[in-house]
């Protein structure tokens, strides 16, 4: 029974397999007994291996143990959790913050408390699967608007029953395209039509904005978007997620959110590492400078080679391939030339938009970027894309 399902996936070039690394993450990794340049990690600032972040995790483990022992509302709220929530709220300039075990858990838990049955959700077409699952759990009606298309969104807002409870959902920095949501226009539409706006800034956190607070800071909208969600697992190099916002929202979520209440608190090491990472983001802006200059070098090189790309404005640099088989072939050729970058296929992205999603970090050297471009030139020709 499962054999035939697996064969079907394989026939459509949609089979997925785990690709275990033989090292930790970093600008280079060990894979299949070779050292290769990694261009697939979301550890944009290299904080997962930053000495201060690693040290914070070790110290918290020694002081508080490996597990937190219980859920947050029982006896699992330990000093590292409280400290991290305070530091996130300070960093983001909000009254409060609330931790979650993962971005997935935050999205599926919170969305059903912002809107329910009878309500209307309007979500960008490229929203992450966890946002979509949160929408489903809410039992509200869901309509999808075209990617970053405010005119389409407004037509849906106009057509709805007046005063119907409405939630607009978007990512801040889109994870698979690397482009940015038109947050200013989305906030205006939300204000004008009396809707709420939910922004998932998993990828913007730490890298966007003058001080790394994220896409909302970048677009100068912190006064107009009172709460949002982000993760600790991308640029912050740790694990987990947060909602930042006003006290009453956070207090309410503590009381009702099932994916917060009925799960064990993050391990102390994870929370302590994330708090150290937030401090590094604030103290070492040079990491962001290096990230953006690496991003520009890789982007310019890809453009010059002539690849088809998305409207990216970020260190997420997708090369659009189209069909899943060619995306897999390109990834295989790249690996032969020493570059690890994974193909992204449906259902992660819409049909016909399979791609290799490259991500560059502050820790790559210019030599590594140039080597990647050389490999891309060769692999592009070998697969007929160039
Ligand atoms: C990664 C990601 C998530 C999920 O976060 P995890 O902490 O990995 O569960 C949610 N939303 C977006 C946009 C993401 O990129």
């Amino acid at each position: 029974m499962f054999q035939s399902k697996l064969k079907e996936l394989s026939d459509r070039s949609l089979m997925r397999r785990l690709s275990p690394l033989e090292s930790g993450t970093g600008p280079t990794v060990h894979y299949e007994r070779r050292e290769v340049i990694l261009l697939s990690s979301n550890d944009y600032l290299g904080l997962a291996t930053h000495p201060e972040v690693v040290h914070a995790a070790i110290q918290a483990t020694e002081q508080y143990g490996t597990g937190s022992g219980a859920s947050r509302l029982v006896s699992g709220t330990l000093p590292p959790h409280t400290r991290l929530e305070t530091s996130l709220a300070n960093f983001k300039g909000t009254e409060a913050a609330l931790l979650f075990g993962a971005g997935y858990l935050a999205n599926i838990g919170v969305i059903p408390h912002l809107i329910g049955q009878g309500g209307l959700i309007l979500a960008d077409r490229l929203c992450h699967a966890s946002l979509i699952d949160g929408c489903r759990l809410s039992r509200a009606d869901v309509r999808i608007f075209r990617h970053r298309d405010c005119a389409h969104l407004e037509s849906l807002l106009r057509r709805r029953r007046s005063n119907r409870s409405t939630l607009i959902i978007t990512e801040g920095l889109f994870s698979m395209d690397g482009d940015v949501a038109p947050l200013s226009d989305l906030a205006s539409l939300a204000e004008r039509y009396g809707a709420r706006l939910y922004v998932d800034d998993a990828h913007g956190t730490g890298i966007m904005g003058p001080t790394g607070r994220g896409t909302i800071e970048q677009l100068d909208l912190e006064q107009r978007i009172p709460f949002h969600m982000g993760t600790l697992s991308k640029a912050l190099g740790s694990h987990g997620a947060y909602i930042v916002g006003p006290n009453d929202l956070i207090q309410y979520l503590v009381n009702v959110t099932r994916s917060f209440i009925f799960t064990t608190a993050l391990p102390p090491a994870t929370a302590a590492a994330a708090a150290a990472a937030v401090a590094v983001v604030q103290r070492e802006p040079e990491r962001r400078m290096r990230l953006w200059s690496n991003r520009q070098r890789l982007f310019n090189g890809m453009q010059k080679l002539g690849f088809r790309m998305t409207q990216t404005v970020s260190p997420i640099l997708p090369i659009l391939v189209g069909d899943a088989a060619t995306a897999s072939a390109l990834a295989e050729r790249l690996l032969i030339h020493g570059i690890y970058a994974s193909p992204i296929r449906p259902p992660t992205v819409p049909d016909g938009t399979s791609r290799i999603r490259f991500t560059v970090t502050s820790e790559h050297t210019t030599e590594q970027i140039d080597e990647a471009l050389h490999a891309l030139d060769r692999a592009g020709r070998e697969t007929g894309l160039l």
Side-chain angles (χ1 to χ4, degrees):
M1 182 185 162
F2 299 115
Q3 286 292 330
S4 65
K5 295 203 182 293
L6 285 170
K7 183 170 183 311
E8 189 192 317
L9 285 173
S10 171
D11 288 347
R12 293 163 60 207
S13 290
L14 295 178
M15 179 76 127
R16 287 153 199 253
R17 278 179 216 284
L18 298 171
S19 327
L21 301 184
E22 294 136 14
S23 68
T25 192
T28 64
V29 293
H30 287 268
Y31 182 65
E32 294 182 340
R33 292 171 302 285
R34 280 198 307 154
E35 187 175 7
V36 292
I37 297 171
L38 179 67
L39 291 169
S40 269
S41 147
N42 300 317
D43 184 24
Y44 300 111
L45 300 173
L47 298 186
T49 53
H50 189 291
E52 197 174 314
V53 176
V54 171
H55 180 71
I58 293 168
Q59 213 191 4
T61 303
E62 285 175 352
Q63 193 168 357
Y64 303 108
T66 52
S68 49
S71 62
R72 289 289 303 279
L73 283 169
V74 177
S75 60
T77 298
L78 308 181
H81 302 112
T82 312
R83 278 202 286 267
L84 175 55
E85 282 172 341
T86 303
S87 92
L88 284 168
N90 288 341
F91 178 47
K92 296 280 190 162
T94 57
E95 284 176 359
L98 187 64
L99 297 177
F100 287 83
Y104 198 103
L105 292 169
N107 285 338
I108 65 167
V110 172
I111 291 169
H113 294 292
L114 300 175
I115 192 137
Q117 197 147 32
L120 176 66
I121 292 176
L122 302 171
D124 186 286
R125 174 159 182 259
L126 294 192
C127 275
H128 191 265
S130 58
L131 293 166
I132 301 299
D133 291 356
C135 293
R136 289 177 181 155
L137 283 171
S138 77
R139 302 185 190 186
D141 292 328
V142 182
R143 303 267 180 283
I144 303 295
F145 60 92
R146 288 190 291 270
H147 182 49
R148 297 168 66 215
D149 187 339
C150 287
H152 188 207
L153 171 61
E154 184 161 19
S155 76
L156 296 173
L157 283 163
R158 265 209 224 95
R159 240 184 288 156
R160 87 199 154 138
R161 204 172 61 243
S162 66
N163 294 328
R164 186 173 186 193
S165 166
T166 305
L167 179 67
I168 299 167
I169 301 185
T170 186
E171 295 183 22
L173 172 58
F174 281 91
S175 59
M176 289 301 140
D177 278 41
D179 52 1
V180 162
L183 290 181
S184 175
D185 292 343
L186 293 178
S188 299
L189 285 173
E191 286 157 15
R192 186 157 351 124
Y193 288 89
R196 278 207 176 107
L197 176 61
Y198 185 87
V199 180
D200 172 342
D201 206 23
H203 289 271
T205 304
I207 68 169
M208 302 292 280
T211 67
R213 293 206 294 271
T215 312
I216 295 170
E217 181 197 21
Q218 170 117 351
L219 300 176
D220 201 11
L221 293 168
E222 289 174 315
Q223 301 308 315
R224 289 174 62 201
I225 301 181
F227 72 93
H228 69 273
M229 172 272 181
T231 63
L232 308 170
S233 50
K234 273 99 189 198
L236 295 178
S238 183
H239 194 90
Y242 60 83
I243 301 277
V244 283
N247 272 325
D248 60 348
L249 169 70
I250 300 301
Q251 272 308 307
Y252 179 63
L253 293 176
V254 165
N255 279 275
V256 296
T257 312
R258 295 169 69 82
S259 66
F260 174 83
I261 299 170
F262 298 105
T263 189
T264 301
L266 283 174
T270 306
V278 170
V280 173
V281 161
Q282 293 171 277
R283 212 191 48 230
E284 296 182 6
E286 59 272 22
R287 284 180 182 265
R288 271 194 304 286
M289 307 282 278
R290 287 206 302 276
L291 171 67
W292 287 99
S293 102
N294 282 346
R295 180 269 172 196
Q296 208 52 38
R297 190 178 187 92
L298 186 55
F299 177 74
N300 290 348
M302 286 170 159
Q303 291 247 296
K304 212 154 126 209
L305 286 172
F307 283 108
R308 219 177 112 223
M309 300 185 66
T310 59
Q311 300 287 313
T312 177
V313 294
S314 73
I316 300 165
L317 299 168
I319 287 183
L320 289 170
V321 170
D323 67 286
T326 313
S328 302
L330 179 60
E332 270 169 40
R333 296 311 305 174
L334 282 169
L335 192 57
I336 288 167
H337 302 314
I339 306 298
Y340 186 116
S342 46
I344 309 280
R345 298 163 293 179
T348 309
V349 292
D351 273 328
T353 71
S354 285
R355 66 197 65 189
I356 309 261
R357 174 183 176 272
F358 294 86
T359 48
V360 68
T361 75
S362 59
E363 305 313 288
H364 288 100
T365 62
T366 46
E367 292 73 26
Q368 287 166 344
I369 291 167
D370 293 346
E371 199 177 321
L373 286 168
H374 184 62
L376 264 168
D377 189 13
R378 291 171 69 187
R381 289 174 205 288
E382 286 158 358
T383 48
L385 285 164
L386 289 181

